[in-house]
Amino acid sequence: MKLKLTKIITHPGNAHRDDFLATSLLLAASRETFPIIRRKEPSKADMIDTNIATVDIGGNHNPDILCFDHHQFSSDAEATCALNLVCDHLELTEAFKLSYQWFEINAIIDSKGPLVAANHLG
């Protein structure tokens, strides 16, 4: 899938594995454009602009308008993170599950925390 992004917005502060890898995949999918990456709170206009992807921020998951946040999901929802949401959108989830043993545990660590991940691993 090719995207025509002008900008990718992710949360300010330190990068996490999920937003870093999700942003990297969006950059790779934007082969014909060179989107700017910003670490800031997105504006309402940013959140509806289909040429701007918001990653791990904004309280909205809507791949139709390139919003990939998981923080609004309930604590009992399936473990997911920004990387999973972007992989789903780019139809890469099955390939990642087959190729990367860390893919599933990454979502658990990011969304449920290290103790839940440790229990999952036994």
Side-chain angles (χ1 to χ4, degrees):
M1 174 181 293
K2 291 183 182 179
L3 301 175
K4 295 197 181 242
L5 297 174
T6 58
K7 193 182 297 181
I8 300 170
I9 299 173
T10 189
H11 58 78
N14 294 331
H16 303 137
R17 183 182 320 187
D18 71 319
D19 57 277
F20 174 78
L21 293 173
T23 298
S24 298
L25 285 177
L26 290 169
L27 282 171
S30 302
R31 291 180 227 163
E32 296 176 8
T33 60
F34 300 98
I36 297 167
I37 300 171
R38 293 283 183 245
R39 301 186 70 75
K40 68 174 191 119
E41 295 293 331
S43 68
K44 288 181 181 179
D46 294 332
M47 296 289 295
I48 60 170
D49 187 329
T50 57
N51 293 310
I52 297 175
T54 56
V55 176
D56 211 25
I57 194 166
N60 186 21
H61 174 240
N62 184 343
D64 292 337
I65 55 172
L66 303 177
C67 295
F68 304 102
D69 193 14
H70 65 100
H71 293 101
Q72 73 282 357
F73 298 148
S74 68
S75 61
D76 61 344
E78 182 178 340
T80 193
C81 64
L83 175 61
N84 295 69
L85 300 177
V86 170
C87 281
D88 286 348
H89 181 66
L90 297 176
E91 299 176 352
L92 295 172
T93 299
E94 290 308 312
F96 267 62
K97 284 180 180 179
L98 291 170
S99 301
Y100 304 112
Q101 292 179 339
W102 52 261
F103 185 72
E104 180 183 16
I105 200 67
N106 183 70
I108 295 170
I109 291 169
D110 192 75
S111 64
K112 307 293 183 189
L115 293 177
V116 173
N119 287 334
H120 176 79
L121 293 171

